[in-house]
């Protein structure tokens, strides 16, 4: 029975020892994971901070994805630090993380609530309060009609709620959002492919029956208005379609607001009644054109914010049309406005495919200050069958202005009313019908050139350089240099190189996809009132339009300096001009995207917990995720330092160290610290990087003869701080103990009456690496013990340790050194350990101590 009990007790002790060893291993694995998660989180934080420079393209998906990765990483860090510690000591960190996560969620919240409304709504019921119902473009038109009482076409909105109904009926949202979230914004080919897939899906989708009926009823009501308002003079539908002719215009919720989305979405002119439903789907599909995807992603909007209401307006049978800028965008301080106009429909003005008539008028009076009337060869008119077509301009008006003085004064008056109402410069689209009635079609904010930059005194001409072109219209002032990229077709945009000058025949809103790369833009045709000109101003790209011959004169790959202040294009690099270049404010810094990133990072990146000695270095004072990672990293090192506290590890099966030095040490390998199947380890058997370096230093020194060992076990061997009573420090006699792995060591060293602990991590990632050193003297008079402390302190100071000395206790730390430097310092620490053995017995005065310090530095620290 007694024998059985002995076997049982032995088995129980073995199981306890194995469990303790496994506990050490588990804590070390948690420590390693914490280090890895900490590094990953810090890398992501650094990358996100770098994006705030404005030099890199990213989209909303980038922010959402990386914030999610940080939240996940911080969760794992909190789990790891609690696994390392005892009794979930840091459980409060979860509450801190939950609070920060909620605050970030509020900041990043991007879901636009679509109000419940009718599926259609007439323009006379719209105003600034219906923005989330009818979208930007048609809401502003309703405001102009109903608040300002200016003439606009009658019509109705197919509302945002109708869009929601359409998307839900066809189960499109989740499918489209998932596809868009995977797009790399820097890959135009990928954008084009996704765009085609999504647009095809939308156009093939079914309009639900209730929406079909709502549109039909709205059209019937519109027809009644037309019949009672003959001066409107809409084109007649004689193509057999029946009903009234309309324009079907995009009116996304975010359109024509702070972010123009100029020319990004579709508008269809002169649409027969029976084609409205089809055109409606095509407008929705235009949410997903390549240029629209690029624009909204680089401006920081999410897929959930891309909501399309659609305007259906009576089609005006245009005599003339165009755009009025209530300020000169290149010189907004001057008291003048700009009108660009053409005979026929104004479409060719806004899309930049024609050179318009240009009028500069005095604000307030409408007096004409300047005008340019190019010969107009073709104009766009409505056809009776539907759609529009280009026809020759009658000879008798080819060279005549399409606007008379009275019409210019009327336009100026309307522009003044609209600008005052909105309180900012406006970009206004207008049309004059065959009865000479003026209508406002839309109004949106006008981007203007920075005043400080516009006052630069740039030389009018640099004589020694060849000027290739010296005419055109400046859409955005500035100076750009680069090699010419002469665009043959829009497919070529995918090959546009960084820093090139885009040279093209016509303007196109598709150019937005390369505006982040272009140093300047030059075109043969176009006006400053077009959509692309608006985008040039938004992206701050020096732009000269309407040069007439740029694509004929400029050769692909030719070096150019574009002076879009004096309207000169030079051959080669004009250094004198480039010296005047004012670093532009990165356009992406003004975007919704940047504001989201900045606000989100305020809960992620700032670090307030910087000093572990501060009384506020506690979980409840963590204000950001960075604070949590900093706190957890610091506490993890402390917990590992105290790994064996409270445990009796004398029964754990360990490996004896046989290194040829008088040090009786046991090794516990918790993963890759010692070669396999080794019972007694020599120096060559050690595979732990930090322990091998430390042992190398110890074995290179001459050691004094060892005193007889007093073996009393391992109780308390791993748990040592300055607060532990001295008698407990010495009860383990001469035995030393090392917990090691491939990259880690925790070495408790007994040499005579002195105890020290060296803990280190040495790996490839500099953020993980550290050495912690603890020393407690004993066994000599206090003056000699303090001299030993001074010797050690002076030496480790020279290795850049941060240290705290209390009496004869040293607590020192060194962090974030590369692996090779950690190993060098560990080798020196190994040498110092041997050097100081019983040295206090001979340090009988300060001069001798200084001599020993100098000797060690000379012999072991100087290369």
């Amino acid at each position: 029975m007694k024998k059985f009990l002995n076997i049982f007790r032995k088995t129980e002790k073995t199981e306890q020892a194995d469990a303790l060893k496994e506990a050490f291993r588990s804590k070390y694995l948690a420590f390693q994971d914490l280090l890895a998660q900490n590094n990953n989180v810090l890398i992501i934080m650094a990358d996100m901070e770098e994006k705030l420079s404005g030099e890199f393209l990213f989209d909303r998906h980038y922010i959402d994805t990386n914030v999610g990765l940080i939240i996940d990483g911080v969760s794992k860090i909190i789990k790891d630090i609690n696994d390392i510690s005892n009794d979930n000591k840091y459980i409060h960190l979860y509450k801190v993380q939950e609070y920060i996560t909620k605050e970030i969620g509020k900041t990043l919240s991007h879901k636009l609530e679509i109000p419940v409304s009718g599926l259609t709504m007439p323009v006379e019921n719209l105003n600034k309060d219906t923005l989330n119902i009818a979208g930007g473009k048609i809401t502003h038109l309703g405001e102009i009609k109903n608040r300002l009482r200016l003439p606009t076409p009658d019509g109705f909105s197919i509302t945002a709620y109708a869009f929601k109904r359409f998307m839900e009926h066809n189960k499109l949202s989740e499918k489209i959002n998932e596809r868009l979230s995977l797009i790399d914004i820097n890959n135009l080919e990928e954008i084009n492919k996704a765009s085609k897939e999504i647009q095809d899906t939308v156009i093939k989708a079914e309009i639900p029956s209730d929406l079909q009926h709502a549109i039909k009823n709205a059209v019937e009501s519109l027809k009644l208005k037309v019949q009672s308002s003959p001066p409107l003079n809409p084109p007649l539908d004689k193509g057999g379609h029946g009903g009234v002719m309309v324009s079907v215009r995009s009116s996304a919720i975010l359109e024509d607001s702070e972010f123009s989305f100029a020319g990004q979405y579709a508008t269809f002119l002169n649409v027969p009644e029976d084609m409205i439903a089809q055109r409606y789907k095509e407008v929705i599909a235009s949410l997903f054109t390549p240029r629209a995807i690029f624009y909204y992603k680089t401006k920081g909007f999410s897929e959930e914010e891309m909501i399309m209401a659609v305007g259906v307006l009576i089609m005006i049978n245009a005599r003339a049309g165009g755009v009025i800028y209530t300020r000169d965008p290149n010189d907004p301080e001057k008291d003048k406005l700009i009108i660009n106009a053409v005979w026929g429909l104004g479409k060719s003005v806004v899309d930049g495919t024609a050179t318009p008539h240009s009028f500069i008028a005095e604000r307030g009076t409408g007096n004409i200050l300047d005008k340019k009337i190019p010969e107009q060869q073709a104009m766009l008119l409505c056809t009776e069958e539907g759609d529009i077509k280009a026809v020759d301009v009658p000879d008798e008006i080819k060279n005549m202005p399409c606007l008379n003085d009275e019409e210019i004064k009327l336009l100026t008056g309307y522009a003044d009313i609209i600008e005052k109402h909105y309180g900012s410069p406006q970009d206004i689209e207008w049309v004059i019908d065959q009865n000479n009635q003026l209508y406002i079609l839309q109004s949106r904010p006008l981007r203007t050139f920075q005043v400080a930059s516009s006052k630069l005194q740039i030389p009018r001409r640099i004589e020694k350089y060849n000027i290739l072109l010296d005419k055109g219209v400046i859409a955005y002032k500035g100076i750009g240099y680069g090699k010419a990229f002469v665009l043959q077709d829009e497919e070529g945009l995918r090959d546009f190189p960084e820093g090139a000058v885009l040279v093209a025949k016509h303007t196109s809103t598709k150019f937005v996809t390369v505006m982040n790369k272009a140093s300047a833009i030059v075109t043969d045709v176009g006006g400053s009132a077009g959509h692309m000109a608006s985008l040039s101003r938004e992206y701050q790209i020096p732009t000269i339009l309407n040069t007439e011959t740029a694509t004929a004169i400029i050769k692909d790959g030719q070096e150019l300096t574009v002076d879009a202040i004096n309207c000169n294009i030079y051959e080669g690099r004009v250094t004198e001009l480039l010296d005047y270049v004012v670093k532009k404010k990165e356009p992406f810094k003004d975007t919704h995207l940047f504001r989201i990133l900045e606000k989100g990072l305020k809960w992620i990146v700032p670090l307030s917990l910087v000093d572990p000695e501060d009384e506020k270095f506690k979980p409840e004072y963590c204000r950001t995720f960075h604070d949590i990672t900093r706190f957890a990293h610091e506490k993890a090192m402390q917990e590992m330092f105290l790994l064996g506290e409270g445990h009796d590890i004398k029964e754990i099966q360990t490996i004896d160290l046989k290194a040829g030095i008088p040090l009786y040490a046991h090794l516990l390998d918790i993963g890759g610290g010692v070669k396999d199947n080794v019972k007694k380890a020599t120096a060559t058997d050690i595979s732990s990087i930090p322990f091998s370096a430390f042992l190398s230093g110890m074995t290179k020194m001459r050691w004094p003869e060892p005193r007889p060992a007093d073996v009393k076990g391992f109780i308390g061997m791993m748990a040592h701080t300055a607060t532990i009573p001295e008698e407990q420090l010495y009860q383990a006699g001469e035995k030393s103990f090392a917990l090691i792995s491939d990259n880690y060591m925790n070495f408790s060293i007994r040499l005579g009456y002195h105890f020290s602990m060296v803990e280190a991590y040495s790996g490839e990632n500099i953020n993980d690496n550290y050495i912690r050193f603890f020393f407690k003297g004993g066994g000599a008079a206090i003056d000699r013990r303090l001299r030993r402390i001074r010797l050690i302190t002076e030496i480790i100071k020279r290795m850049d340790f941060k240290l705290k000395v209390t009496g004869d206790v040293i607590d020192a730390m060194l962090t974030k050194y590369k692996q090779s430097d950690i190993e060098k310092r560990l080798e020196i620490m190994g040498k110092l350990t041997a050097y100081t053995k019983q040295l206090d017995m001979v340090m009988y005065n300060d001069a001798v101590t200084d001599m020993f310090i100098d000797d060690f530095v000379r012999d072991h620290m100087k290369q």
Side-chain angles (χ1 to χ4, degrees), residues 172-198:
L172 293 176
S173 294
E174 186 175 340
K175 188 186 306 181
I176 290 174
N177 293 348
E178 183 179 356
R179 182 68 179 90
L180 288 172
S181 68
L182 301 175
I183 290 176
D184 177 2
I185 196 63
N186 295 291
N187 188 330
L188 288 182
E189 190 171 344
E190 186 179 332
I191 292 174
N192 289 334
K193 181 180 178 182
S195 169
K196 186 176 186 310
E197 292 173 7
I198 295 169

